[in-house]
Amino acid sequence: MGGERVETNKINNQLIRILTYLMFMMFAMTTDAVGVIIPEIIKEFNLTHTQASAFHYGPMIAIAASGMFLGFLADRLGRKVTIIIGLSIFSLACGLFVVGNSFSFFLFLLVLSGTAIGIFKTAALALVGDITTSNADHTRTMNLVEGFFGVGAIIGPFIVSYLLANDVSWKYLYIVAGILCIGLCIVAAITQYPTYVRNQQSEQNLKQTLLIAKQPAALGFSALIAFYVITEAAIYVWMPSLLSTYTGSLESLVPWTITLFFTLRALGRFGAVWVLKHISWELAMMLFSAAICLCYVLSMILGLGAAIILLPMSGLFMAMIYPTLNSKGISCFAKDQHGAIAGVILFFTAVAASLGPLLMAIVSDFMGGQAKYGFYVATVFAVLLFVGLAYNWKFKPAQALLLQKQSENN
């Protein structure tokens, strides 16, 4: 099985799945709450949009670097050890939020937490390959994992909104996340993971990661993921700013648009498990990307009155795209390379998640601080995503490789 063997019973397998789901939920509470936090730090520290966006792109760059340069640790040290290391660093970074009160210090802690996320997330993604039995099972499990991520993305902004409504600092969100992380770290330490045996004939180092990054399958899936991530990040980072000037009949809906988006995205990811049982993943991805593209284009043409409905609604169509692309990209490689390829994909994910909103912020500031101009940029990437997934549906370039690796890994 590509340098690994699994010796675990079904009950323990389920416990590992639950721990993986909860890890993703926990860190999503912090990463996807940034759209609610940014307007507060702009007022608190008197920042421009570009400066404030460092709260998003800072940790994203750290996640990218950690995924690319440390992703191989999951293949070298094993999944369990790597997960515990990452969770420990993350809990430390969250706990330190109580001792500072400056923008630069908070940004440092976010970069540290991003580094930790890159470590334990690549290991968790590699672990999914250890506990699944086929490409289809891997894809369904990845959608469930990202479904719990979606739940965390609802909880995080809700906690921040509740804290702010009660005149409590947003930074206590990180204290809550840190406490949860300590609990997960303890449970992970006492849980029996599938036995991991290194493939002595395969290198697990940065050189191997860079070689994997050059392969067409890695580049192709990573490019599609980058297009998607920029399209998605536009919503949770800048939609609150875009809709802040809306004064129409649906004005009371504005504070809930982020929550609505994340709720629909979470529901869609759980629903994706059903969708993937009935139609091919290539067709489903093409249709959903077309719906996303339409939401963006109509929002830009019809204005804020349409955007307040269509942009949150796009979360339902976005739901299955990232976990499915991530799953198929990882499944194109042998299991003893899953940590490395997960790191490569995470690198492109985080770079897109950081540079996309930053580019939007720069364009918005250049045009007088109007967020709608940044969303024109995001609309271009929504179109590119649809074009790429339409090509994937028509020509199925990864099909043969996926079948080959499934045969080898089994």
Side-chain angles (χ1 to χ4, degrees):
M1 291 181 60
E4 300 172 355
R5 66 177 185 273
V6 175
E7 298 172 355
T8 186
N9 57 47
K10 291 183 178 180
I11 295 176
N12 206 54
N13 193 305
Q14 285 300 110
L15 178 58
I16 292 169
R17 285 176 182 263
I18 292 170
L19 281 171
T20 304
Y21 299 153
L22 292 179
M23 275 192 289
F24 275 71
M25 184 184 77
M26 178 271 302
F27 84 81
M29 289 170 55
T30 60
T31 56
D32 282 24
V34 70
V36 185
I37 294 173
I38 282 178
E40 294 302 312
I41 64 170
I42 287 176
K43 292 184 291 184
E44 185 176 347
F45 298 107
N46 192 27
L47 305 173
T48 66
H49 284 82
T50 302
Q51 291 169 331
S53 66
F55 249 48
H56 176 69
Y57 72 72
M60 287 299 113
I61 290 175
I63 292 173
S66 181
M68 177 63 78
F69 298 114
L70 299 176
F72 67 88
L73 291 178
D75 300 323
R76 172 175 286 185
L77 303 179
R79 319 315 193 197
K80 180 175 181 175
V81 172
T82 307
I83 285 172
I84 292 173
I85 291 172
L87 290 177
S88 299
I89 297 172
F90 186 85
S91 60
L92 173 64
C94 288
L96 289 175
F97 269 85
V98 297
V99 302
N101 196 33
S102 69
F103 176 74
S104 58
F105 180 69
F106 291 148
L107 182 58
F108 164 74
L109 294 182
L110 289 176
V111 170
L112 182 61
S113 69
T115 302
I117 289 171
I119 293 172
F120 73 73
K121 184 176 180 180
T122 51
L125 292 173
L127 182 63
V128 172
D130 298 349
I131 61 176
T132 53
T133 57
S134 66
N135 288 339
D137 184 26
H138 191 282
T139 301
R140 287 193 294 268
T141 301
M142 285 293 291
N143 274 278
L144 284 172
V145 166
E146 293 293 341
F148 279 87
F149 181 95
V151 172
I154 298 169
I155 296 173
F158 174 81
I159 291 175
V160 173
S161 297
Y162 179 82
L163 292 172
L164 296 176
N166 290 275
D167 297 320
V168 180
S169 174
W170 51 265
K171 69 181 184 180
Y172 287 96
L173 165 71
Y174 295 91
I175 307 305
V176 173
I179 293 172
L180 291 175
C181 187
I182 291 172
L184 290 175
C185 192
I186 293 171
V187 175
I190 63 176
T191 299
Q192 180 187 356
Y193 276 55
T195 301
Y196 178 79
V197 181
R198 283 186 59 187
N199 184 344
Q200 299 300 322
Q201 296 179 337
S202 176
E203 295 184 38
Q204 284 94 20
N205 52 35
L206 179 58
K207 180 181 178 181
Q208 184 206 44
T209 302
L210 295 177
L211 289 173
I212 288 174
K214 296 178 182 179
Q215 296 191 30
L219 291 173
F221 279 107
S222 295
L224 288 172
I225 283 173
F227 296 156
Y228 166 76
V229 168
I230 293 174
T231 305
E232 181 197 54
I235 302 288
Y236 66 78
V237 177
W238 293 122
M239 186 172 67
S241 299
L242 174 71
L243 299 177
S244 63
T245 59
Y246 175 75
T247 57
S249 60
L250 299 175
E251 188 173 355
S252 61
L253 185 62
V254 172
W256 301 101
T257 51
I258 283 287
T259 300
L260 179 60
F261 170 77
F262 285 138
T263 300
L264 290 173
R265 192 182 66 173
L267 290 173
R269 281 176 175 166
F270 289 114
V273 178
W274 179 86
V275 171
L276 290 168
K277 290 181 179 179
H278 292 83
I279 62 175
S280 71
W281 70 273
E282 295 97 340
L283 176 59
M285 302 277 274
M286 186 273 290
L287 293 175
F288 286 138
S289 66
I292 295 167
C293 185
L294 191 61
C295 286
Y296 265 85
V297 171
L298 290 178
S299 293
M300 296 302 99
I301 293 174
L302 301 178
L304 296 184
I308 197 172
I309 298 296
L310 293 174
L311 291 181
M313 186 187 299
S314 69
L316 185 62
F317 308 122
M318 289 183 184
M320 71 173 290
I321 292 182
Y322 180 78
T324 302
L325 286 176
N326 205 354
S327 170
K328 298 307 179 185
I330 291 172
S331 297
C332 283
F333 293 84
K335 284 193 174 182
D336 64 338
Q337 297 177 320
H338 277 192
I341 181 57
V344 171
I345 291 175
L346 183 59
F347 172 81
F348 283 94
T349 298
V351 167
S354 58
L355 296 185
L358 176 60
L359 177 60
M360 291 176 65
I362 292 172
V363 172
S364 296
D365 284 341
F366 182 76
M367 300 301 294
Q370 299 184 61
K372 68 177 182 180
Y373 292 103
F375 270 84
Y376 291 148
V377 175
T379 301
V380 172
F381 284 97
V383 173
L384 290 174
L385 175 66
F386 167 65
V387 171
L389 288 174
Y391 176 88
N392 179 70
W393 165 70
K394 179 68 175 178
F395 298 103
K396 297 177 175 57
Q399 186 177 62
L401 185 58
L402 286 169
L403 291 173
Q404 175 190 338
K405 292 302 176 182
Q406 177 172 307
S407 177
E408 292 175 1
N409 287 331
N410 289 336

